[in-house]
Amino acid sequence: MLSETISYQILIFTTGLLLILGLSKPNGYLRLPTLFSVVYAGWVIPQISQLRYQLSPPDLSYLAILNLFCAACLLSVEVGWRWGQSTQIIGARPTRPKFRVSYIGLIRVAAVITAISWAMSLAMGMRDLDERNVTMWTGPITIMYFFFNLKVLSLFLSIYLALTYKTRLSYVILFANSMLYLPLLIIYFRRRAMAEVFICTSLAFWFARRAVLPRLALVMILPIGTFVVFGISALRGLARGDGTSEWQMPGLSEISSIDFWALTPFASAEQVPELTNAFYLIRLSNELGFHTWGAESWNRIVFQWIPAQIVGVEIKSSLMFDLGVANLLSNSYNFGARTGATSTAMGLAYMEFGPLGIIFFIVVAYVMGRWWVRANSGDVWAMALYTCGLTLGAIMPTSYPIVFLNLMMLYGGALFASRRLLNPAHQESHRPSHKAGGGKFRVQY
C-alpha cells in the first residue's frame, strides 16, 4: 500500500491536471469532468488536508485508500465522459436532431413546469413555520419539495427562450423563474440553488449564443465559491435569526463581519464532517469487509420515490433494507455522523462495491457525454437534460452516488410527459421574429 503522503499527492495531481485541461478549453467549465475537479479542488481536498492532521498514524492507511479512491473516481469521470463522446466529435459538422421543438411548444413546456414549481413553492410556504424550520423534513412537505426540484428545468428553459426568441412571453417566464430563485439565493442561501443558477445561465448562453465566461473570471470565482460553501452556515444563521420568525435577508454589514477564512478547513478542524464520514465508511469496509452491494442505493430510490403518506410508513419501511451502518460505526469506532453532513458519493460508493464503486461515476459521465454531443447538435431536449444532469453531477461528490439517477428520473419524466401531453414537436424549429412597428411576431421556417 502506498503511503498516505504519496496517495495525497496523487489526488492533488489528478485534480490539478483535469482542472487545467478542462479550463484550457473555452467551454471547458461547462463539461462534467471539469466541474468534478472544481468540486474536488474547492471542497474535497481542503477537507482531506485538514483530516490528515487529525488521524493517528495507524489510521492514515485508510485515509490513503480514501485518497486513491477519490482520485480513481475523478479519473473514472474523465473515462466515462470520453467514452460517451466516442461515436461523435464535438466541433464537427452537427448532425440534424431527430426531434426539434417549436417555439410555441417550448413556451408551453416552460410555462407548465414553471407553474408546477411555483405551486410547490407556495404550498411549502403555507406550511407551519416550525415544520419548515426543522433539519429533516417529514410528511407532505417532502413531496412538495421533491416536485419543487423541477425549478432547475424551468429555469434553463426560460433563460434559453429569452436568449433565443426575445419575446415578451419568454421574458415573463424568465421573470417568474427569477423570482422563484431570488429568495433561495439571498435569504436561504441554498448552495444547490447557487449551482443551478450558475450552470443554467452558463449553459443557456452557450447553447443559444455560444458565449462563455472569460478564464480570468472563472479563476476569480473558484476561491470565492470555496469561501461561500464553507461559510454558508454562518450566512444562514444571520438570515434565520432566533428561528421563531420568517427568515430575512441579512445586511451587508452583517455579512462582512463573518470571518469566512476561519470557517474553512484550512483554519478550522471542525469543517471536515463529510470527508470524516467517508473516511469511516472506508475503514468500516476494509476492516470488517462490510459492503452493501447496492442495498444503500436501493434504499435511496425507495426513500425518494415511495411516499409514506400514500402507501404508509410500514409498507415503505418493508421495502427498504435495514443496513445498520450507523450502529456499526458507533459500536466499532464510537463514531457518529454530524447531523446534516453527508457521507459523500465516494465514501458511499466504496461501501457499496469497494473499488468497483467507480462504476457509478463512469455511468454518469458516459450518459452526460452522450447528452453533451446531442445538445451541441441542436437537440433542445438534450440541452435541458444535460443542464439538469450537470447540476446533479456537480453536487454528486457532496451527496450520494445514486443522486443522478434519482432526480434525472424526475426531470426526464417531466420532459417525456411534456412531449406527450403538450405536443411541442414539429419538423422544423419555429422562430418568431418581431414585425416592424408592432409587438406581434410571425413564424419563420
Side-chain angles (χ1 to χ4, degrees):
M1 172 61 66
L2 292 174
S3 70
E4 191 281 329
T5 300
I6 296 177
S7 68
Y8 181 64
Q9 292 171 348
I10 290 175
L11 176 59
I12 291 179
F13 176 79
T14 304
T15 301
L17 178 63
L18 292 186
L19 186 59
I20 292 172
L21 290 177
L23 295 181
S24 66
K25 303 178 179 65
N27 64 354
Y29 69 101
L30 303 177
R31 303 175 183 226
L32 182 62
T34 309
L35 277 188
F36 247 81
S37 59
V38 167
V39 175
Y40 267 49
W43 189 78
V44 175
I45 291 178
Q47 291 195 54
I48 289 181
S49 67
Q50 176 61 247
L51 188 59
R52 300 176 71 216
Y53 298 102
Q54 299 182 16
L55 299 175
S56 62
D59 292 340
L60 289 177
S61 61
Y62 300 110
L63 184 59
I65 297 174
L66 175 59
N67 291 338
L68 292 175
F69 187 68
C70 286
C73 291
L74 183 55
L75 287 173
S76 298
V77 171
E78 179 69 19
V79 171
W81 175 265
R82 291 178 181 271
W83 182 25
Q85 298 180 86
S86 60
T87 58
Q88 297 186 47
I89 301 175
I90 298 297
R93 184 176 181 179
T95 58
R96 185 181 182 85
K98 296 180 180 179
F99 183 89
R100 296 187 70 90
V101 60
S102 68
Y103 162 74
I104 296 299
L106 197 56
I107 282 286
R108 290 174 183 169
V109 173
V112 168
I113 297 177
T114 300
I116 294 173
S117 301
W118 261 105
M120 296 301 103
S121 177
L122 294 173
M124 289 189 296
M126 295 173 64
R127 307 297 295 183
D128 185 78
L129 180 63
D130 292 335
E131 181 182 4
R132 287 183 281 129
N133 280 347
V134 296
T135 303
M136 295 293 293
W137 282 345
T138 59
I141 196 171
T142 58
I143 299 177
M144 300 171 191
Y145 181 75
F146 177 64
F147 288 101
F148 181 60
N149 286 313
L150 287 171
K151 67 187 184 302
V152 63
L153 183 55
S154 60
L155 177 64
F156 168 75
L157 292 175
S158 66
I159 300 174
Y160 180 80
L161 276 165
L163 292 174
T164 305
Y165 300 107
K166 303 178 183 178
T167 62
R168 293 176 181 173
L169 188 53
S170 67
Y171 292 141
V172 169
I173 296 176
L174 175 57
F175 177 78
N177 280 279
S178 300
M179 292 300 99
L180 192 64
Y181 268 89
L182 191 61
L184 300 177
L185 299 178
I186 65 174
I187 296 178
Y188 299 107
F189 296 101
R190 301 299 183 190
R191 284 174 289 197
R192 181 171 165 183
M194 296 175 187
E196 288 174 350
V197 169
F198 175 78
I199 289 173
C200 287
T201 303
S202 298
L203 284 172
F205 269 92
W206 168 252
F207 291 134
R209 303 282 183 83
R210 288 298 189 261
V212 295
L213 285 173
R215 289 189 181 90
L216 179 59
L218 293 173
V219 172
M220 294 175 63
I221 289 174
L222 292 181
I224 295 175
T226 298
F227 287 126
V228 171
V229 166
F230 286 110
I232 210 74
S233 60
L235 291 169
R236 290 175 182 171
L238 292 177
R240 186 175 183 178
D242 59 5
T244 61
S245 59
E246 293 288 346
W247 290 35
Q248 296 181 350
M249 184 175 66
L252 184 60
S253 60
E254 294 177 300
I255 295 176
S256 62
S257 67
I258 298 175
D259 186 354
F260 285 97
W261 173 256
L263 298 175
T264 66
F266 302 111
S268 173
E270 302 297 323
Q271 298 298 320
V272 293
E274 289 83 8
L275 268 297
T276 300
N277 293 343
F279 164 79
Y280 277 103
L281 290 182
I282 294 284
R283 183 176 178 181
L284 179 68
S285 298
N286 279 274
E287 277 193 347
L288 303 183
F290 179 83
H291 296 288
T292 51
W293 306 115
E296 169 70 19
S297 295
W298 170 259
N299 286 350
R300 295 276 182 174
I301 294 175
V302 172
F303 179 81
Q304 189 80 73
W305 285 93
I306 306 298
Q309 295 80 12
I310 297 176
V311 303
V313 176
E314 292 184 359
I315 293 179
K316 181 171 183 176
S317 298
S318 67
L319 295 174
M320 303 173 70
F321 294 94
D322 185 9
L323 301 176
V325 177
N327 289 333
L328 279 173
L329 290 174
S330 177
N331 295 334
S332 301
Y333 310 113
N334 194 28
F335 171 76
R338 185 190 301 180
T339 301
T342 69
S343 296
T344 76
M346 295 77 70
L348 290 171
Y350 194 92
M351 184 183 70
E352 287 274 66
F353 301 110
L356 294 179
I358 61 173
I359 191 66
F360 288 106
F361 301 86
I362 292 177
V363 170
V364 169
Y366 171 80
V367 173
M368 290 294 290
R370 297 295 300 153
W371 283 341
W372 176 250
V373 173
R374 290 172 53 192
N376 279 280
S377 71
D379 188 332
V380 177
W381 300 125
M383 296 177 193
L385 289 172
Y386 181 82
T387 301
C388 296
L390 191 60
T391 302
L392 296 176
I395 68 171
M396 183 178 172
T398 71
S399 188
Y400 57 95
I402 207 71
V403 64
F404 181 86
L405 173 62
N406 238 350
L407 286 175
M408 282 311 302
M409 288 193 291
L410 173 66
Y411 301 137
L415 286 178
F416 178 81
S418 299
R419 289 170 58 169
R420 290 290 183 180
L421 300 177
L422 301 177
N423 191 29
H426 288 271
Q427 291 182 346
E428 296 291 340
S429 177
H430 296 183
R431 287 178 172 268
S433 63
H434 294 283
K435 289 182 178 180
K440 298 183 179 180
F441 63 82
R442 59 185 176 87
V443 175
Q444 292 181 334
Y445 293 85

